[in-house]
Amino acid sequence: MSHNQENRPKEQKQESNFCFYATLLDAFQNYLDTDELWEKFWGHSDDPKMTYDEYADKQFVEIINRINRVPFTNEAVEKGTAFNNIVDMLLDGKTDNGQFLLQTDDEKQLITISEREIKVDDDGQPSETFINQRSFSLPVVKEFVNYYEGAMKQYFTKGVLDTCYGNVELYGFIDYLLPFSIHDMKTAKSYSAGSYRKHWQHIVYPFTLQQNGINISSFEYNVTNFRETFTELYVFKAERDIPRLRDMCERFIGFLLNHKDLITDEKIFNYRKV
């Protein structure tokens, strides 16, 4: 596949009753794993931060909010976004894109991203300041930039999956698409092998790409804790993974229909009454 290929999937002719983005399935998987996660965090604690019921209630609220696209951010999300912005800017050969400014300290081996803010004083004169400054290890940043050289960034993909409830349109933005592999960049405070085994991007993205004539099966989660880098590799196999994906979508649809009174995002039903 050439990197000059136009970033536009072929039109899907099938009508769809539901519309899911890939990471929404990850969020639902997290909800399904409530028992396992509570046990992992607090099952052996004499004084757990949350009781099981409190944690289950929190998990339910979080998946409903995610379905309804309630805005959410925290320190970890903002730090990951800043790191991603640095990599993208350097891939584009930019240190200033009008919104963000990059500054490199070779002596300390750090690269800093700052967000530009324009304020107007009482006399109507604009002044420029920089906010939300974050610094990262320069060698780690360079490792990602070198690895993704020549990739297409934020490549949109979509496809249609049949289920017992009707067709589901699956879609998402691939972080980095190389000629023979799909890449998703993750940042995390800590990392252990197999952390993304239950995620669905490594199934949804190859499935949708192959529907559009792009036959790529290799998927990598490229992970950093901002000091080291790690890779999880998965290979998509249609005969194994499509039935799993169908089962997951059907479980999610069942959940949506059971809690339809709480769902305010019309797009998930593809603007159709169900």
Side-chain angles (χ1 to χ4, degrees):
M1 184 189 67
S2 169
H3 282 182
N4 293 323
Q5 181 172 341
E6 188 178 7
N7 184 1
R8 184 182 301 157
K10 297 176 183 177
E11 290 298 320
Q12 299 290 344
K13 296 181 180 180
Q14 305 99 316
E15 290 186 353
S16 301
N17 297 321
F18 302 91
C19 193
F20 304 156
Y21 56 94
T23 53
L24 184 57
L25 295 182
D26 294 342
F28 184 60
Q29 182 69 62
N30 192 65
Y31 169 77
L32 293 178
D33 291 341
T34 293
D35 292 3
E36 177 183 328
L37 292 171
W38 187 87
E39 187 67 27
K40 174 183 176 182
F41 295 139
W42 300 299
H44 301 288
S45 172
D46 294 330
D47 185 24
K49 181 180 178 181
M50 294 185 191
T51 66
Y52 172 80
D53 288 342
E54 289 171 338
Y55 184 67
D57 289 344
K58 175 177 175 289
Q59 290 282 87
F60 180 78
V61 170
E62 286 184 357
I63 185 59
I64 294 297
N65 285 345
R66 187 67 177 269
I67 292 166
N68 290 332
R69 299 174 186 265
V70 176
F72 169 80
T73 191
N74 58 27
E75 172 63 21
V77 170
E78 291 176 355
K79 189 174 182 180
T81 299
F83 186 90
N84 196 311
N85 284 333
I86 291 176
V87 172
D88 283 357
M89 286 178 66
L90 292 178
L91 284 170
D92 289 337
K94 296 179 179 179
T95 56
D96 188 341
N97 66 1
Q99 181 181 4
F100 298 106
L101 175 69
L102 304 184
Q103 295 173 299
T104 300
D105 186 327
D106 290 321
E107 182 178 346
K108 294 182 179 179
Q109 287 291 281
L110 293 175
I111 185 165
T112 300
I113 184 169
S114 306
E115 185 176 359
R116 180 176 277 104
E117 182 179 59
I118 306 296
K119 290 185 176 181
V120 178
D121 62 23
D122 293 338
D123 296 325
Q125 297 299 313
S127 62
E128 180 181 83
T129 58
F130 290 91
I131 59 174
N132 299 328
Q133 294 185 334
R134 297 177 187 272
S135 297
F136 300 93
S137 163
L138 183 59
V140 171
V141 170
K142 285 183 175 179
E143 184 176 347
F144 277 91
V145 173
N146 291 338
Y147 198 54
Y148 294 146
E149 184 179 359
M152 290 188 286
K153 306 188 304 295
Q154 290 296 301
Y155 185 93
F156 180 75
T157 180
K158 69 176 179 178
V160 175
L161 176 71
D162 63 287
T163 75
C164 66
Y165 293 98
N167 287 335
V168 175
E169 181 179 290
L170 297 166
Y171 69 97
F173 288 87
I174 296 170
D175 281 349
Y176 303 98
L177 183 63
L178 284 163
F180 304 106
S181 54
I182 304 160
H183 298 260
D184 189 79
M185 187 167 73
K186 299 289 190 187
T187 57
K189 184 176 181 181
S190 60
Y191 172 77
S192 58
S195 293
Y196 302 99
R197 177 176 55 86
K198 287 190 173 184
H199 281 217
W200 289 92
Q201 289 161 289
H202 60 272
I203 295 178
V204 170
Y205 292 156
F207 168 73
T208 56
L209 285 177
Q210 290 185 14
Q211 279 201 342
N212 290 283
I214 303 173
N215 190 23
I216 299 178
S217 299
S218 180
F219 186 107
E220 291 185 11
Y221 293 102
N222 303 124
V223 191
T224 183
N225 58 9
F226 306 107
R227 302 178 303 279
E228 303 170 280
T229 60
F230 312 88
T231 294
E232 277 188 28
L233 171 64
Y234 295 90
V235 177
F236 176 77
K237 295 183 179 180
E239 64 277 9
R240 176 195 65 198
D241 293 328
I242 292 176
R244 292 178 54 215
L245 180 59
R246 181 177 293 111
D247 178 69
M248 182 60 169
C249 288
E250 289 175 352
R251 294 182 72 180
F252 188 37
I253 293 168
F255 177 87
L256 292 173
L257 296 179
N258 285 336
H259 301 287
K260 193 166 58 171
D261 57 320
L262 300 176
I263 309 303
T264 58
D265 175 43
E266 291 183 337
K267 188 174 182 179
I268 203 164
F269 297 120
N270 211 20
Y271 304 104
R272 296 173 183 272
K273 300 294 183 180
V274 296

